[in-house]
Amino acid sequence: MDVIKTEQLYEGKAKKVFATTDPALVIVSYKDDATAFDGLKKGTIAGKGAVNNRMSNYLMGLLEKEGVPTHFVEELSERETLVRKVEIVKLEVIIRNISAGSFSKRFGVEEGIVFDSPTIEFSYKNDDLHDPLMNAYHAIALGVATSEEIETIKALAFKVNEVLKAYFLGIGVKLVDFKLEFGRTPDGKIVLADEISPDTCRFWDAVTNEKLDKDRFRRDLGNVEGAYAEMLRRVFG
Ligand code: ADP
Ligand code: UDP
């Protein structure tokens, strides 16, 4: 594709976003930088950018085939991908199949409770406010999303969960929980954006419950790079 990278639009904690010669497309470039606890813990995970880029693109391709529209256009290199430029909906959409992390902390329950049905929650994507929990009524009242958009996002997020839960189980991995972001295309359509990777999902080995995700970094469990490499190996063989 004859699209050329132009100026950097944004540098986030895990990725950079570049404009291109096509105003409808941007290039995301995945970094090895890692942060946790609202940016308080900082580090690098060697090879993470390449793992997250390749895994995210693979999963978005899988989801497209199952009828979930995404921003994915073309993988350009190990770390760089061409995506449709969208206006990000300022919500972090979190789906949980098993209790862990902030859910366990908030409700005072152990990690590992398998839910009969998945849960959904939203956080307001706002670093200054530390991404506070937000319900659908709050999002609508504040103009973060319309009620139609919320319904679309909920349906797509649960669909993503069904597709990915089954896919990961097939490669010996429990999909514990994950965070999604959605965007609006110029014609107002909601598509899945950002990334799906060990940075944004909790993955437990289906047999041993070994953690194969960013919790190894958050909780200083060691072998962080090994966990990312293992997830890449499970996905690509
Ligand atoms: P953060 O902003 O939380 O530090 P990243 O380092 O991952 O996160 O930065 C990537 C940024 O790009 C995020 O703000 C994300 O919402 C945004 N983004 C993801 N996909 C797209 C897209 N298709 N178009 C425009 N922005 C996007
Ligand atoms: N998550 C994320 N970005 C965030 C917050 C959460 O990708 O800013 C992911 C996280 O990796 C996990 C899921 O969303 O897979 C649920 O995270 P949780 O609310 O338990 O928060 P945490 O324990 O990470 O603080």
Side-chain angles (χ1 to χ4, degrees):
M1 200 167 291
D2 51 0
V3 172
I4 296 162
K5 184 158 104 179
T6 57
E7 80 275 13
Q8 183 177 305
L9 297 175
Y10 178 78
E11 175 160 8
K13 298 182 283 289
K15 301 190 285 302
K16 294 178 184 174
V17 181
F18 295 90
T20 72
T21 43
D22 183 336
L25 302 173
V26 290
I27 291 172
V28 289
S29 179
Y30 285 72
K31 308 191 287 182
D32 284 351
D33 298 353
T35 63
F37 310 121
D38 213 11
L40 285 177
K41 183 179 170 97
K42 290 190 176 71
T44 27
I45 302 171
K48 172 174 88 76
V51 171
N52 288 4
N53 181 45
R54 294 186 58 203
M55 189 186 299
S56 190
N57 293 341
Y58 178 82
L59 297 175
M60 297 248 182
L62 199 76
L63 289 164
E64 286 272 358
K65 279 196 218 125
E66 297 292 334
V68 176
T70 79
H71 70 168
F72 178 70
V73 177
E74 187 189 355
E75 188 167 291
L76 300 174
S77 69
E78 238 190 6
R79 283 173 189 273
E80 292 196 328
T81 294
L82 192 62
V83 298
R84 286 201 271 171
K85 182 178 186 171
V86 295
E87 183 195 351
I88 292 287
V89 177
K90 296 278 173 213
L91 290 174
E92 299 204 333
V93 180
I94 293 173
I95 296 275
R96 302 177 191 269
N97 296 305
I98 301 176
S99 65
S102 72
F103 182 97
S104 289
K105 212 171 162 192
R106 180 173 309 119
F107 298 115
V109 296
E110 73 267 33
E111 298 198 314
I113 302 166
V114 180
F115 303 142
D116 289 338
S117 328
T119 69
I120 190 165
E121 73 213 36
F122 303 121
S123 292
Y124 183 31
K125 202 173 140 57
N126 182 318
D127 281 340
D128 294 338
L129 298 174
H130 313 288
D131 299 342
L133 207 61
M134 172 176 256
N135 71 27
Y137 294 93
H138 300 150
I140 294 162
L142 292 174
V144 172
T146 65
S147 58
E148 291 77 17
E149 286 175 335
I150 297 275
E151 289 312 310
T152 303
I153 287 170
K154 280 202 285 196
L156 289 175
F158 283 123
K159 170 87 182 175
V160 168
N161 186 45
E162 289 314 309
V163 173
L164 294 189
K165 207 170 62 169
Y167 167 72
F168 280 111
L169 209 53
I171 57 169
V173 172
K174 290 180 194 169
L175 179 60
V176 174
D177 58 29
F178 56 94
K179 182 267 299 180
L180 300 175
E181 291 182 24
F182 291 88
R184 297 177 188 96
T185 61
D187 58 356
K189 198 175 150 207
I190 292 286
V191 300
L192 181 62
D194 205 48
E195 68 176 282
I196 309 172
S197 72
D199 271 17
T200 64
C201 304
R202 283 195 171 94
F203 297 127
W204 294 355
D205 180 272
V207 176
T208 65
N209 280 336
E210 183 190 2
K211 295 187 197 324
L212 296 171
D213 57 61
K214 197 169 139 185
D215 269 348
R216 299 205 75 83
F217 168 78
R218 292 190 189 98
R219 303 177 186 191
D220 294 318
L221 299 176
N223 197 25
V224 185
E225 280 86 2
Y228 280 74
E230 176 61 16
M231 282 307 302
L232 191 70
R233 196 189 64 75
R234 299 251 182 134
V235 172
F236 292 101

